[in-house]
Amino acid sequence: MPRKLAAGNWKMNGTTAALSELASIGHADIDVLICPPATLIAAAAAAAGDGLSIGGQDCHTGISGAHTGDIAAPMLADAGAKYVIVGHSERRTDHGETSETVRAKAEAALAAGLTPIICIGETLAEREAGATLQILTDQLAASTPDDATGANTVIAYEPVWAIGTGLVATTDQIAEVHAHLRADLTARFGAAGTDIALLYGGSVKAANAVEIFATPEVNGALVGGASLKASDFQPIVDALAAS
Ligand code: PEP
């Protein structure tokens, strides 16, 4: 069985004042993660309690070098990160990242001892064209390293049209996609593919978390807006733990 993970992505939000939120986020029984801006990772790792991990939102494919403004996976690990999000749709869109780049980033994360959270998702145009499952199969295949296992890698399905929009995929849509992704993972990785956690992401909040977590093959969530405040995020964590 995959481990359950509730992951928060603060995106480009938060200064040191936001660290106070971390005191009331976490859980003893499931994995809980906050990915703050890179400027806060070291302080967040120092502030986090036992039931909370800290992660990065992106990493470079290399370990060092002339890449102004970029951050290497070993630097994230050195700052106290345990995970790193790679291939978020905002990175794919804003920075033109391809699935091949995302895979190289995931490989860099694994080499640094970090767990990559590999994001994939279809646009609204792709869904309306009936291309969702093929797009996701292609993104998953091209973005995931060959040595992925349940112990070192997490996949997040995030329909682009549901991120930050308030639109949530229906549980039928989520169930269809997650069953499809699970089949792809087991076809490629065999039994190990059954252990890789599949997160849903896209306007998850306390009000919809219970039904999303009751959906087959949903092992957790990647949460943007509702992770910024502990009072919004911890109920989602608790709903996952109770699911
Ligand atoms: C995200 O940032 O990955 C995300 C799903 O954002 P939101 O929860 O705000 O839709």
Side-chain angles (χ1 to χ4, degrees):
M1 279 288 286
R3 290 178 61 83
K4 294 178 183 177
L5 172 63
N9 171 14
W10 282 4
K11 309 191 185 188
M12 198 172 70
N13 297 292
T15 55
T16 47
L19 294 171
S20 61
E21 298 295 324
L22 301 179
S24 33
I25 297 175
H27 205 283
D29 301 332
I30 63 168
D31 295 334
V32 184
L33 170 69
I34 290 289
C35 298
T39 49
L40 293 179
I41 289 174
D50 284 346
L52 175 64
S53 295
I54 300 301
Q57 298 176 12
D58 177 54
C59 67
H60 195 270
T61 57
I63 57 170
S64 64
H67 303 290
T68 303
D70 280 322
I71 300 173
M75 296 171 178
L76 294 174
D78 181 58
K82 301 291 184 212
Y83 295 75
V84 60
I85 299 168
V86 292
H88 191 283
S89 68
E90 289 154 12
R91 299 288 314 178
R92 291 179 187 256
T93 302
D94 294 357
H95 301 273
E97 293 186 7
T98 64
S99 289
E100 290 66 32
T101 306
V102 173
R103 178 183 180 136
K105 291 184 173 202
E107 289 171 348
L110 290 173
L114 298 174
T115 296
I117 300 176
I118 301 169
C119 300
I120 58 174
E122 83 284 5
T123 64
L124 188 57
E126 289 164 343
R127 177 162 282 276
E128 288 177 347
T132 297
L133 298 182
Q134 189 60 53
I135 290 285
L136 294 173
T137 284
D138 294 347
Q139 286 185 6
L140 182 69
S143 305
T144 308
D146 286 331
D147 51 349
T149 70
N152 66 20
T153 298
V154 172
I155 305 294
Y157 166 54
E158 299 207 302
V160 177
W161 49 271
I163 296 176
T165 59
L167 295 174
V168 188
T170 66
T171 51
D172 283 351
Q173 289 172 325
I174 298 171
E176 179 189 37
V177 166
H178 280 233
H180 181 81
L181 296 176
R182 181 64 69 207
D184 279 357
L185 289 171
T186 51
R188 178 170 170 190
F189 296 108
T194 63
D195 288 335
I196 297 176
L198 285 172
L199 311 185
Y200 169 76
S203 300
V204 175
K205 38 191 174 305
N208 57 29
V210 171
E211 70 168 348
I212 289 171
F213 295 145
T215 306
E217 299 294 356
V218 173
N219 310 120
L222 180 54
V223 182
S227 71
L228 294 173
K229 294 280 170 217
S231 56
D232 292 329
F233 189 57
Q234 188 60 32
I236 298 172
V237 172
D238 292 338
L240 180 62
S243 69

